[in-house]
Structures are given as structure tokens and as C-alpha cells.
Amino acid sequence: EISAGNIPYNYGAAQGCNYYNRSYENTSELERAQFQNFRRAVGGDFLKYTDERGVPHKVRFDGYRTPYQDNLRDNWGFQFTLREEMRTPPSLRTITPADLPRDVLFYAPFTSGLYFSHYFAEPVCARASIATYIDAADGLLKQVAANTPRYEFNGVLIEQQRVNSCLRSEEFDNAAWSKTNVTVAANNVGTLDPKGTQTADLLTATAGNATVLQAIPLASASKVFTLYLKRKTGAGNIDITLDNGTGWTTVAINSSTWTRVSKVQTVTNPTVGVRIVTNGDEIWAWGGQLEDSAGFASSYIPTTSAAVTRNTDDLRFNEPGHILAPAGTIICSVEVLAAIGGANAYQFIDAADLAGQNGIEIVSDSNAVRARVFSGGATVANLTGGGSFSDETPKKIGLAWQAGDFR
């Protein structure tokens, strides 16, 4: 059943209805992101939770509130309106606020006793490396430990394995980068880097066509070079290259925000870097990255003296009982970084038993959506549709089933 979103609730006549305004304080950014993702997935602010006795309740989410105290700026407050709805049997009584634990509304998705409908427990992330992401709260680039999910504004970030082959990705004063007609002021205090610290390097052109380049011996393949840039002074062209300047691409940057510029090219033994065309112009640079790619860049991977690998994200909900065989609906909201053709280019949902004989999978197939339901190892439904994917465009995918009916 769909028990969230804009679908009306129909529990029959309520024996008791009470309306309360509820506010919870000091919830973490991670919890805020998880709840935000849940609301986006179900498509609305009218939600249902079920208590440990199986009694359904309706709740409306009213909004987020940031605390005014500086020492709590990383925490959040949540405002809810609660409507208690109960149906027979008569032995059930009206629940009052005193009966409700403090965490009944917001924390319900993250506990075993109470839960929001169609919201699973905290996912288990398997990734054998650190990784970075953009924090939705402050827009800064942050790093998480291995086996930790990354919550960005649009949801959980899941990526394939990538390698940053640029050495000294934040140290343009290092000998790994060759400099011509340019001075480099390391860890310049004139601006904060994308992490909110002072590790950005200031590049100043001492003559026209100043360059900072790095040669990287690699086999021929489609590669993407990315670099964070920010202008300090001047208005001349800023260019980037993957082929030692045989081809330069002019990029648009500004003096108020960081821009992650990128260029994709098939090349052997690339030499990557940046050119300041006009003498005297100054730019800040940070986070050089070169990856083998299918036409798009992935999240930033910091390096020092050697190339660094960020491993594949494998996100799972390990608790049993999420999929009910007789009937059900499963919904996911996804946003692909790049629309890629071919079979199983993206695997959005793989819900199966441990033997892999019964379950559901939803994947991209030739840039469209394909859903397959299998029972006893045999395919019982194979549906294709939903239109094509577009780069960085949200898409909501749903599959509903009951005996002999899949859509």
C-alpha cells in the first residue's frame, strides 16, 4: 500500500482525533538529510507511521528550523502537526502526547519499534575507501570514512570506482606541476577552498599564456580532467587542457564562488593543466583530478604522492521483511550524473532473498527503465518504459504488484 505522499488516508471513522504542534530540537545533519530524502521519495508532507501495536497515525511535516545558538549551528529543529487516527477495536484508547516517546515523529525511521511507512532503516554502505561529497547544509566539500554513505542535497551519492591520476591535487607549488610564466602562492589566505579551509593556491601570471601543467603517462582512453578555479583579479581568458596545449578550452569562472571546470577527451599520455592568457591576471586553483571516464566527472578524490582510488559504493538495506510477496509498491527517486546507454548501466534497486531466487530489480536498460520480478529463479514480469534519462535530472520510478498484475 502507499501510505505516504498526497494519497488520502482511509482508515474509516476515527474514534479520536487530536491535533498537536510538535517541535524537535538538536537533530543532526545526517538525520535531516535522511528525512529529506524520505519526503522526496514519497512525494509529499502527509505521512503515516505505525506504532508497535499496529495502530496507524497521520502526521504532517511543517518545516525545518535552524537553531539561533551558534554552538548548535550544525543541528536542526523540526516542526510537525500530528493527527492521531484510530480505528476499531474499541479496546484501543486515544493516545495523548504523554503516551508518545520523544522520538515518535522524526526518529521513527531510524528505530525498530516505530517506522514511517515505506522508509527503511539506515542503509549499510560498503565502500573500501574514503570519499568526498557536497554537504547540503553549507555547500562545502567534506570527507567521510570508508563504509559511510554520503548524503547530498538530492539524496545518497552512489558512484562507481574511479582513480584520480593527478599527483599533488592540492599542491600546485609542488614539482609534480611544471610552471611557466607563473608564480604560485601555496595555501593562500585570500580565500577559503571548497572545504572551507585555506589550502587553495594563488596562481599569478608573470607573462601572457602562463601555464601550470602535469604530464601523466596513461594508455589511450576517454578521460575527464576537472579543476576547481576562482578568479581573484583580471578578466582575461582562463583555459584548460588534456593534451599539453594542443587544444585549449576556455572556461567561465568568477570571483565570488568556486567553479569546478571540466574537459573530456580521448588521449594517450595526457598532460593536464590550466593557462592564464593575460599577464597579471590571478586565479585560485584547487583539487586537480584526472579520471578515466564514460564522459562525466565523479566526486573529488584528493591525492598526494601517488594516484588514489575511490572504491565502488554498495548501498544495502539488510533488514528482512521490506518486500511483501502478495502485493506491494516500491518507489525510488534517482538522479544520474550522466545518461549512459547499454544494459544495466545503472542498478537502482536489487531486492532479493539470500539465494537470489525471489525478488525485484529495477535498472536502466538502453537509457530507459526496466523492472524485472522473479520467483523461484524464473522471471514472472519484465517491464520496460518510463522514458529516457537526462543528465542530473531527477526521475521517480515505481513498481506495483499483486497476484498476476505488475505495473
Side-chain angles (χ1 to χ4, degrees):
E1 63 174 355
I2 298 293
S3 300
N6 297 319
I7 299 177
Y9 295 90
N10 184 14
Y11 297 126
Q15 289 181 289
C17 294
N18 296 306
Y19 292 81
Y20 302 105
N21 288 324
R22 307 276 295 198
S23 174
Y24 297 135
E25 309 295 337
N26 301 336
T27 53
S28 71
E29 170 60 26
L30 174 62
E31 291 165 332
R32 185 200 66 82
Q34 290 172 322
F35 183 71
Q36 182 183 53
N37 293 338
F38 165 69
R39 289 177 54 228
R40 183 179 293 110
V42 300
D45 290 331
F46 288 91
L47 315 172
K48 184 194 83 172
Y49 74 84
T50 303
D51 66 21
E52 68 276 8
R53 295 171 297 174
V55 179
H57 308 267
K58 183 186 291 185
V59 60
R60 186 185 73 199
F61 175 71
D62 291 330
Y64 302 107
R65 294 189 298 104
T66 55
Y68 60 87
Q69 301 100 319
D70 288 342
N71 64 323
L72 295 177
R73 61 183 179 274
D74 291 330
N75 295 326
W76 293 80
F78 299 81
Q79 183 70 43
F80 295 88
T81 299
L82 170 65
R83 181 180 182 182
E84 307 274 6
E85 288 192 321
M86 303 172 56
R87 46 180 183 168
T88 56
S91 59
L92 297 180
R93 62 185 178 83
T94 301
I95 299 176
T96 67
D99 299 315
L100 301 176
R102 177 185 180 277
D103 61 357
V104 68
L105 295 179
F106 177 69
Y107 287 98
F110 318 120
T111 65
S112 58
L114 302 169
Y115 55 91
F116 279 104
S117 185
H118 289 270
Y119 188 89
F120 298 158
E122 172 70 12
V124 175
C125 177
R127 184 192 60 251
S129 68
I130 63 168
T132 65
Y133 71 104
I134 303 300
D135 192 311
D138 54 22
L140 295 178
L141 188 146
K142 296 184 180 179
Q143 180 174 294
V144 295
N147 303 322
T148 304
R150 294 173 286 168
Y151 293 93
E152 294 195 330
F153 177 77
N154 290 331
V156 182
L157 179 60
I158 305 172
E159 296 182 294
Q160 63 186 182
Q161 178 174 298
R162 287 288 184 92
V163 178
N164 183 4
S165 297
C166 270
L167 307 185
R168 305 291 177 180
S169 62
E170 302 171 21
E171 304 171 58
F172 296 94
D173 60 323
N174 189 273
W177 297 90
S178 61
K179 277 79 70 175
T180 302
N181 298 330
V182 66
T183 61
V184 178
N187 302 327
N188 186 259
V189 297
T191 191
L192 299 178
D193 61 37
K195 298 185 299 183
T197 60
Q198 291 181 330
T199 64
D201 292 350
L202 179 64
L203 314 182
T204 303
T206 58
N209 294 324
T211 60
V212 177
L213 302 170
Q214 183 174 146
I216 305 171
L218 290 172
S220 178
S222 174
K223 304 182 187 302
V224 57
F225 172 60
T226 53
L227 182 66
Y228 287 90
L229 296 176
K230 184 178 180 181
R231 189 183 293 276
K232 182 182 180 185
T233 59
N237 282 357
I238 305 299
D239 306 331
I240 60 174
T241 185
L242 276 86
D243 56 13
N244 198 27
T246 300
W248 289 100
T249 297
T250 300
V251 295
I253 63 173
N254 63 77
S255 59
S256 58
T257 60
W258 284 97
T259 302
R260 195 185 190 196
V261 301
S262 66
K263 182 177 181 178
V264 177
Q265 185 177 342
T266 298
V267 62
T268 304
N269 297 326
T271 294
V272 301
V274 60
R275 177 174 70 176
I276 305 174
V277 173
T278 303
N279 181 27
D281 280 8
E282 295 179 298
I283 62 172
W284 285 288
W286 189 88
Q289 182 157 310
L290 178 70
E291 314 167 65
D292 284 353
S293 78
F296 64 96
S298 71
S299 61
Y300 172 61
I301 307 167
T303 67
T304 54
S305 59
V308 173
T309 299
R310 183 200 59 246
N311 295 104
T312 301
D313 292 285
D314 185 355
L315 197 69
R316 297 176 182 268
F317 298 92
N318 291 332
E319 295 83 357
H322 295 316
I323 306 298
L324 302 179
T329 301
I330 191 166
I331 297 173
C332 64
S333 294
V334 301
E335 180 177 318
V336 299
L337 294 178
I340 302 174
N344 303 329
Y346 292 101
Q347 187 175 45
F348 302 121
I349 291 177
D350 182 5
D353 57 20
L354 294 177
Q357 296 297 299
N358 306 282
I360 297 167
E361 66 176 13
I362 300 178
V363 300
S364 66
D365 192 351
S366 299
N367 203 30
V369 179
R370 179 172 62 83
R372 185 173 76 94
V373 182
F374 50 100
S375 177
T379 298
V380 296
N382 202 344
L383 310 175
T384 302
S388 61
F389 290 92
S390 300
D391 295 2
E392 300 184 32
T393 300
K395 178 182 283 289
K396 185 175 291 185
I397 304 168
L399 173 68
W401 69 91
Q402 59 184 10
D405 187 8
F406 305 91
R407 60 187 70 186

XYZ file of all heavy atoms in Angstrom, residues 54-88:
306
model
N 0.514 -1.711 16.004
C -0.125 -1.731 14.698
C -1.134 -0.623 14.486
O -1.910 -0.661 13.528
N -1.141 0.398 15.368
C -2.093 1.495 15.248
C -1.528 2.536 14.287
O -0.424 3.040 14.498
C -2.378 2.134 16.617
C -3.356 3.300 16.472
C -2.924 1.082 17.576
N -2.281 2.893 13.232
C -1.771 3.900 12.289
C -2.029 5.316 12.790
O -3.024 5.586 13.456
C -2.572 3.613 11.012
C -3.873 3.075 11.518
C -3.566 2.312 12.773
N -1.143 6.221 12.427
C -1.256 7.628 12.801
C -0.885 8.476 11.591
O -0.010 8.112 10.812
C -0.313 7.979 13.953
C -0.442 7.084 15.137
N -1.267 7.357 16.195
C 0.156 5.901 15.417
C -1.180 6.387 17.090
N -0.321 5.490 16.632
N -1.536 9.601 11.460
C -1.212 10.529 10.386
C -0.415 11.698 10.955
O -0.735 12.217 12.022
C -2.489 11.057 9.724
C -2.213 11.992 8.545
C -3.493 12.616 8.006
C -4.363 11.600 7.334
N -5.548 12.229 6.697
N 0.601 12.126 10.217
C 1.414 13.257 10.657
C 1.717 14.133 9.446
O 1.962 13.636 8.351
C 2.719 12.783 11.347
C 3.568 11.945 10.425
C 3.522 13.977 11.848
N 1.679 15.431 9.640
C 2.054 16.377 8.595
C 3.337 17.104 8.996
O 3.432 17.652 10.095
C 0.958 17.416 8.360
C 1.269 18.347 7.162
C 0.218 19.431 7.028
N 0.363 20.430 8.075
C -0.598 21.276 8.423
N -1.780 21.195 7.854
N -0.393 22.159 9.388
N 4.311 17.092 8.092
C 5.568 17.794 8.345
C 5.407 19.252 7.930
O 4.974 19.552 6.818
C 6.693 17.141 7.557
C 8.006 17.875 7.657
C 8.719 17.872 8.840
C 8.517 18.562 6.577
C 9.920 18.546 8.947
C 9.709 19.232 6.667
C 10.414 19.230 7.855
N 5.755 20.176 8.815
C 5.548 21.598 8.557
C 6.800 22.329 8.093
O 6.703 23.323 7.386
C 5.025 22.291 9.817
C 3.603 21.846 10.146
O 2.875 21.517 9.196
O 3.250 21.811 11.327
N 7.983 21.906 8.487
C 9.178 22.611 8.029
C 10.370 22.422 8.933
O 10.266 21.892 10.041
N 11.532 22.868 8.423
C 12.788 22.822 9.168
C 13.010 24.165 9.870
O 12.572 25.216 9.400
C 13.974 22.577 8.239
C 13.909 21.332 7.425
C 13.651 21.375 6.059
C 14.109 20.081 8.005
C 13.584 20.217 5.306
C 14.041 18.926 7.258
C 13.788 18.998 5.902
O 13.730 17.863 5.161
N 13.699 24.125 10.960
C 14.105 25.348 11.646
C 15.554 25.205 12.071
O 15.934 24.196 12.661
C 13.245 25.599 12.887
C 11.797 25.898 12.591
C 11.037 26.344 13.821
N 11.007 25.319 14.859
C 11.727 25.329 15.948
N 12.591 26.301 16.163
N 11.625 24.365 16.830
N 16.359 26.193 11.754
C 17.749 26.185 12.212
C 17.823 26.876 13.567
O 17.141 27.876 13.796
C 18.669 26.910 11.224
O 18.161 28.236 11.002
C 18.729 26.166 9.908
N 18.644 26.367 14.476
C 18.732 26.970 15.809
C 19.441 28.317 15.752
O 20.270 28.567 14.881
C 19.542 25.946 16.612
C 20.345 25.232 15.590
C 19.507 25.191 14.347
N 19.097 29.182 16.693
C 19.718 30.502 16.706
C 21.045 30.501 17.460
O 21.852 31.391 17.294
C 18.773 31.534 17.323
C 18.380 31.244 18.751
C 19.165 31.682 19.814
C 17.233 30.525 19.039
C 18.806 31.408 21.121
C 16.867 30.254 20.341
C 17.647 30.698 21.386
O 17.304 30.418 22.667
N 21.293 29.472 18.272
C 22.541 29.445 19.028
C 23.695 29.050 18.120
O 23.609 28.071 17.371
C 22.460 28.443 20.188
C 21.347 28.732 21.165
C 20.149 27.844 20.904
O 19.815 27.620 19.749
N 19.552 27.347 21.964
N 24.799 29.783 18.172
C 25.958 29.490 17.342
C 26.519 28.108 17.615
O 26.976 27.410 16.707
C 27.056 30.540 17.561
C 26.680 31.869 16.939
O 25.772 31.884 16.082
O 27.277 32.886 17.322
N 26.491 27.688 18.873
C 27.094 26.399 19.206
C 26.238 25.224 18.752
O 26.640 24.080 18.857
C 27.351 26.300 20.712
C 26.048 26.334 21.509
O 25.124 27.041 21.141
N 25.991 25.608 22.598
N 25.043 25.498 18.201
C 24.176 24.433 17.705
C 23.928 24.571 16.204
O 22.986 24.004 15.673
C 22.830 24.454 18.429
C 22.856 24.147 19.930
C 21.448 24.294 20.501
C 23.397 22.750 20.192
N 24.803 25.304 15.509
C 24.520 25.623 14.115
C 24.537 24.389 13.208
O 24.026 24.449 12.091
C 25.529 26.648 13.591
C 26.983 26.181 13.626
C 27.910 27.298 13.151
N 29.302 26.904 13.191
C 30.080 27.007 14.243
N 29.589 27.489 15.369
N 31.345 26.632 14.207
N 25.109 23.277 13.639
C 25.102 22.065 12.824
C 23.901 21.177 13.127
O 23.801 20.073 12.610
C 26.397 21.263 13.048
C 27.606 21.987 12.482
O 27.415 22.714 11.493
O 28.693 21.828 13.031
N 23.006 21.641 14.006
C 21.828 20.860 14.355
C 20.579 21.515 13.771
O 20.604 22.657 13.329
C 21.695 20.744 15.874
C 22.842 19.969 16.477
O 23.351 19.038 15.870
N 23.257 20.362 17.670
N 19.477 20.768 13.807
C 18.250 21.242 13.167
C 17.059 21.019 14.090
O 17.055 20.152 14.937
C 18.016 20.476 11.858
C 19.039 20.785 10.822
C 20.299 20.263 10.732
C 18.922 21.697 9.743
N 20.962 20.790 9.657
C 20.138 21.663 9.024
C 17.899 22.519 9.288
C 20.366 22.432 7.899
C 18.124 23.288 8.160
C 19.337 23.251 7.483
N 16.044 21.830 13.888
C 14.773 21.619 14.543
C 13.730 21.263 13.496
O 13.824 21.663 12.345
N 12.725 20.519 13.913
C 11.680 20.070 13.005
C 10.312 20.375 13.606
O 10.075 20.122 14.778
C 11.782 18.564 12.755
C 13.063 18.151 12.118
C 14.208 17.996 12.881
C 13.136 17.933 10.763
C 15.395 17.626 12.293
C 14.326 17.553 10.175
C 15.450 17.404 10.947
N 9.422 20.907 12.801
C 8.077 21.242 13.254
C 7.071 20.321 12.569
O 7.075 20.186 11.348
C 7.742 22.693 12.914
C 6.382 23.150 13.425
C 6.368 23.274 14.937
O 7.305 23.777 15.523
N 5.295 22.801 15.564
N 6.216 19.682 13.368
C 5.216 18.756 12.847
C 3.837 19.122 13.382
O 3.698 19.688 14.464
C 5.502 17.310 13.285
C 6.764 16.734 12.746
C 7.962 16.900 13.415
C 6.759 16.005 11.568
C 9.125 16.353 12.928
C 7.911 15.450 11.067
C 9.096 15.624 11.742
N 2.821 18.755 12.626
C 1.457 18.728 13.125
C 1.022 17.277 13.129
O 1.086 16.601 12.101
C 0.508 19.557 12.247
O 0.940 20.916 12.253
C -0.909 19.477 12.786
N 0.593 16.797 14.269
C 0.241 15.395 14.443
C -1.275 15.247 14.496
O -1.955 15.947 15.235
C 0.861 14.860 15.736
C 0.398 13.477 16.199
C 0.820 12.410 15.201
C 0.966 13.181 17.581
N -1.794 14.344 13.686
C -3.200 13.986 13.794
C -3.271 12.513 14.149
O -2.820 11.652 13.401
C -3.933 14.225 12.477
C -5.419 13.868 12.590
C -6.158 14.111 11.297
N -7.579 13.802 11.448
C -8.453 13.885 10.457
N -8.068 14.258 9.263
N -9.710 13.579 10.670
N -3.812 12.222 15.296
C -3.954 10.847 15.753
C -5.217 10.263 15.148
O -6.294 10.835 15.293
C -4.073 10.794 17.276
C -2.965 11.517 18.004
C -1.769 10.632 18.215
O -1.771 9.512 17.703
O -0.844 11.050 18.902
N -5.126 9.124 14.476
C -6.299 8.453 13.951
C -6.289 7.013 14.427
O -5.266 6.346 14.342
C -6.319 8.480 12.424
C -6.632 9.856 11.884
C -6.940 9.785 10.405
O -6.276 9.018 9.694
O -7.855 10.495 9.995
N -7.425 6.559 14.906
C -7.520 5.205 15.408
C -8.806 4.580 14.895
O -9.815 5.253 14.710
C -7.518 5.197 16.942
C -6.303 5.869 17.539
S -6.458 6.021 19.306
C -6.712 4.324 19.747
N -8.781 3.316 14.625
C -9.985 2.613 14.239
C -10.235 1.465 15.218
O -9.447 1.223 16.118
C -9.893 2.115 12.802
C -8.600 1.426 12.435
C -8.622 0.974 10.988
N -7.418 0.249 10.649
C -7.276 -0.453 9.546
N -8.272 -0.539 8.680
N -6.157 -1.075 9.294
N -11.316 0.761 15.033
C -11.655 -0.330 15.934
C -10.508 -1.327 15.994
O -9.679 -1.370 15.087
C -12.935 -1.016 15.426
O -12.721 -1.431 14.081
C -14.120 -0.064 15.490
